Amino acid sequence: MVSVRSMVSTRLTMSRVNRAPAFVLALLFYCCINFTEAQTSTPSPAPTSCASKSNTTCDECLQNVKCLWCTPTKQCMDYPVKSILPPSSVCPLNDARWGVCWVNFQILIITMSVLGGVIIVAMIVCCCCCCRKKERAGNNKEDEKVERQNRARKNRQKERRTEMHLRHDEIRTKYGLAKDNPYARMDDR
């Protein structure tokens, strides 16, 4: 149990890009481990026939996981394992109870389908967000490189411009065109 917790904490300290999917996966893994431990630690009751629980209550019938309760007929029967869903000849889905009495089988199937769809969509969204963050990080590096090149080009241009002004000033002083007052007209000399 300690190793699972240390693994969960290790997964949570990963980089920011992988933090959300890692947290979800670690949480699911942790829940699965706890669920299997809870299942193995509870002793199973002695196996009884589901048919012997007919004409009793739904709660008594569903104490055994292998049983299926049909509400209108008040029959407790073995769950038809060969078919994933119980056929309507055995009991209509709307009246079938399995696992708990307060949820009919049809609502249970719809709920599990919606939850499964939400989980799949959430995983796809997480993957897309992670890919975008990686892509943006790559674009940021390219943008920084272009920005550095632009700055270097502007600096070189500024150096050339100052060198050109220095050369022009030298030529002006050489030929006596240098002015003390830059606002004085050339004709005044």
Side-chain angles (χ1 to χ4, degrees):
M1 193 66 191
V2 176
S3 64
V4 172
R5 287 188 180 142
S6 65
M7 187 178 85
V8 169
S9 66
T10 304
R11 295 290 284 173
L12 288 176
T13 57
M14 291 175 62
S15 68
R16 286 188 177 180
V17 173
N18 296 331
R19 189 171 289 170
F23 176 73
V24 171
L25 289 174
L27 185 64
L28 287 173
F29 184 72
Y30 182 73
C31 290
C32 288
I33 295 295
N34 281 342
F35 181 71
T36 55
E37 286 179 5
Q39 292 249 333
T40 56
S41 64
T42 57
S44 60
T48 57
S49 167
C50 291
S52 66
K53 303 276 184 161
S54 292
N55 295 325
T56 59
T57 64
C58 177
D59 290 327
E60 285 183 38
C61 174
L62 296 183
Q63 285 177 351
N64 188 354
V65 179
K66 296 179 182 178
C67 296
L68 175 72
W69 177 258
C70 190
T71 304
T73 60
K74 294 191 178 193
Q75 284 187 342
C76 187
M77 60 193 88
D78 288 330
Y79 188 88
V81 181
K82 292 182 181 178
S83 61
I84 296 173
L85 299 175
S88 60
S89 61
V90 173
C91 188
L93 284 180
N94 201 25
D95 296 326
R97 306 287 192 261
W98 180 71
V100 291
C101 293
W102 52 272
V103 176
N104 69 36
F105 210 86
Q106 189 174 12
I107 292 176
L108 180 68
I109 291 170
I110 292 170
T111 305
M112 296 305 279
S113 300
V114 168
L115 286 175
V118 166
I119 289 171
I120 290 171
V121 168
M123 290 175 66
I124 290 171
V125 167
C126 286
C127 290
C128 289
C129 288
C130 290
C131 290
R132 274 198 183 145
K133 284 184 180 180
K134 286 182 182 180
E135 184 178 298
R136 285 182 187 161
N139 286 342
N140 287 342
K141 289 179 183 177
E142 289 176 15
D143 290 344
E144 288 174 6
K145 182 179 177 182
V146 168
E147 185 67 31
R148 273 187 266 124
Q149 288 174 350
N150 285 341
R151 272 189 254 128
R153 192 177 306 117
K154 285 181 183 179
N155 286 338
R156 285 192 307 262
Q157 205 173 29
K158 192 184 266 186
E159 288 173 6
R160 278 191 237 124
R161 195 173 290 138
T162 55
E163 286 176 13
M164 188 171 58
H165 281 294
L166 287 174
R167 269 190 267 129
H168 288 176
D169 287 342
E170 286 176 10
I171 292 171
R172 283 189 191 112
T173 55
K174 180 178 177 181
Y175 293 105
L177 299 174
K179 304 178 202 171
D180 295 329
N181 184 0
Y183 299 106
R185 293 187 65 175
M186 291 183 81
D187 296 339
D188 291 343
R189 288 193 167 179

